[in-house]
């Protein structure tokens, strides 16, 4: 059966990065994956959680939220009490992006990655990871240029994509119309050297075979390879960012 947007089963949705989208963030990226749009901003804090103090290593944590009308019907704001889904996605984003770093080279600093879904059409968590890595790389470029951290602080690129079985067919990068009816659904996170960071998967409609699992992982590998190339192109074309730390008002 044809896909809702006419893609072949092994094709990604069009991916676009807009770097430096928010001028105040240390690293900022707007990512579009088809009709899913996520804004990823990175803040650098010169401190670490209490349980890391005195160890000479840094940390990365993530926050995730969906704007109320990012979906077909209004999603209420999570004021003060986050849903289990939000907490789980935040932990996934944090784990995934920490895999990209040598935290020992970060010093006692924390990177806070805020991922805000502007419009959702499936794959918001995977888009947040893929865009979040680019935002983290931008922030670290500024610290590297300032001589505060070595280039080795970035260990490997990281990207993520969804795969699933819809109407009996393995498909890459599911949109909402496919994700909502998928018989099998996976989110896959991988590094630039082809290793897995995380695989989240479930049989929504029926159990899947080992052969189907292998086919889905091959689709994920193909999709993530293309996303890694897109990340590299975006970073190669990145505009020059102001130095870090920024000038203080009144210090000119």
């Amino acid at each position: 059966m044809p896909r809702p947007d006419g893609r072949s089963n092994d094709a990604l949705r069009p991916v676009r990065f807009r770097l430096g989208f928010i001028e105040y963030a240390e690293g900022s990226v707007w990512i579009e994956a088809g009709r899913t749009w996520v804004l990823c901003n990175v803040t650098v804090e010169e401190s670490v959680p209490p349980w890391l103090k005195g160890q000479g290593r840094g940390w990365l944590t993530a926050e995730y939220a969906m704007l109320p009308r990012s979906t077909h019907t209004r999603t209420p704001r999570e004021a003060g009490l986050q849903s289990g889904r939000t907490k789980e996605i935040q932990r996934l984003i944090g784990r995934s992006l920490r895999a990209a770093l040598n935290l020992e080279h970060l010093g006692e600093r924390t990177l806070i990655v805020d991922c805000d879904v502007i419009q959702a059409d499936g794959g918001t968590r995977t888009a947040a990871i893929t865009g979040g890595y680019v935002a983290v790389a931008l922030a670290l470029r500024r610290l590297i240029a300032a001589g505060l951290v070595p280039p080795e602080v970035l260990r490997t690129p990281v990207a993520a994509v969804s795969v699933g079985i819809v109407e009996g067919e393995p498909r890459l990068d599911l949109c909402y119309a496919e994700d909502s009816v998928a018989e099998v659904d996976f989110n896959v996170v991988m590094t630039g050297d082809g290793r897995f960071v995380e695989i989240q998967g479930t049989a929504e409609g029926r159990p899947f075979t080992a052969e189907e699992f292998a086919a889905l992982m091959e689709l994920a590998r193909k999709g993530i390879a293309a996303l890694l190339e897109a990340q590299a192109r975006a970073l190669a074309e990145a505009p020059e960012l102001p130095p870090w730390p920024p000038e203080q008002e009144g210090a000119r």
Side-chain angles (χ1 to χ4, degrees):
M1 295 291 292
R3 303 184 73 173
D5 50 14
R7 284 179 289 146
S8 62
N9 285 347
D10 63 349
L12 290 170
R13 291 175 288 182
V15 178
R16 180 188 182 197
F17 298 95
R18 295 176 63 182
L19 279 60
F21 192 82
I22 300 294
E23 65 176 283
Y24 304 120
E26 281 75 82
S28 180
V29 170
W30 170 286
I31 178 173
E32 298 179 11
R35 296 193 303 163
T36 289
W37 306 341
V38 182
L39 177 59
C40 306
N41 289 312
V42 175
T43 300
V44 178
E45 289 195 347
E46 295 291 320
S47 61
V48 291
W51 52 272
L52 268 179
K53 284 185 178 179
Q55 297 184 32
R57 63 196 297 267
W59 189 243
L60 181 149
T61 187
E63 296 192 10
Y64 168 97
M66 298 180 69
L67 292 188
R69 280 318 306 263
S70 61
T71 50
H72 294 89
T73 57
R74 185 179 187 275
T75 301
R77 297 183 191 274
E78 295 182 334
L81 183 62
Q82 293 179 325
S83 68
R85 174 184 181 272
T86 295
K87 292 178 181 178
E88 181 262 322
I89 292 174
Q90 290 180 165
R91 294 186 185 113
L92 170 66
I93 296 169
R95 286 193 301 270
S96 300
L97 295 180
R98 285 194 294 273
L101 305 181
N102 276 310
L103 293 171
E104 293 77 10
H105 291 316
L106 189 57
E108 295 203 357
R109 297 181 178 85
T110 298
L111 304 184
I112 303 171
V113 186
D114 288 296
C115 300
D116 292 288
V117 178
I118 310 303
Q119 181 169 281
D121 186 34
T124 60
R125 72 187 68 190
T126 55
I129 293 166
T130 301
Y133 168 75
V134 179
V136 166
L138 285 179
L140 289 176
R141 278 186 178 182
R142 299 176 72 181
L143 271 65
I144 293 168
L148 298 174
V149 299
E152 294 78 17
V153 68
L154 270 174
R155 177 161 44 197
T156 177
V158 169
V161 76
S162 65
V163 289
I165 297 176
V166 181
E167 297 178 333
E169 300 175 341
R171 295 183 182 181
L172 174 65
D173 194 13
L174 306 184
C175 66
Y176 176 76
E178 296 171 311
D179 184 63
S180 61
V181 298
E183 300 147 43
V184 178
D185 184 21
F186 278 84
N187 296 301
V188 182
V189 188
M190 295 182 69
T191 64
D193 56 3
R195 291 179 293 168
F196 292 98
V197 178
E198 189 144 348
I199 301 172
Q200 297 182 332
T202 186
E204 299 282 0
R206 62 170 177 82
F208 54 90
T209 66
E211 291 75 18
E212 288 172 325
F213 176 75
L216 290 173
M217 292 306 101
E218 187 56 36
L219 276 181
R221 286 179 184 274
K222 177 179 179 180
I224 289 174
L227 290 170
L228 291 166
E229 290 179 4
Q231 287 174 329
R233 286 194 301 270
L235 286 166
E237 298 167 1
E240 185 173 347
L241 297 172
W244 176 263
E247 290 188 23
Q248 299 296 316
E249 291 295 327
R252 297 185 181 129

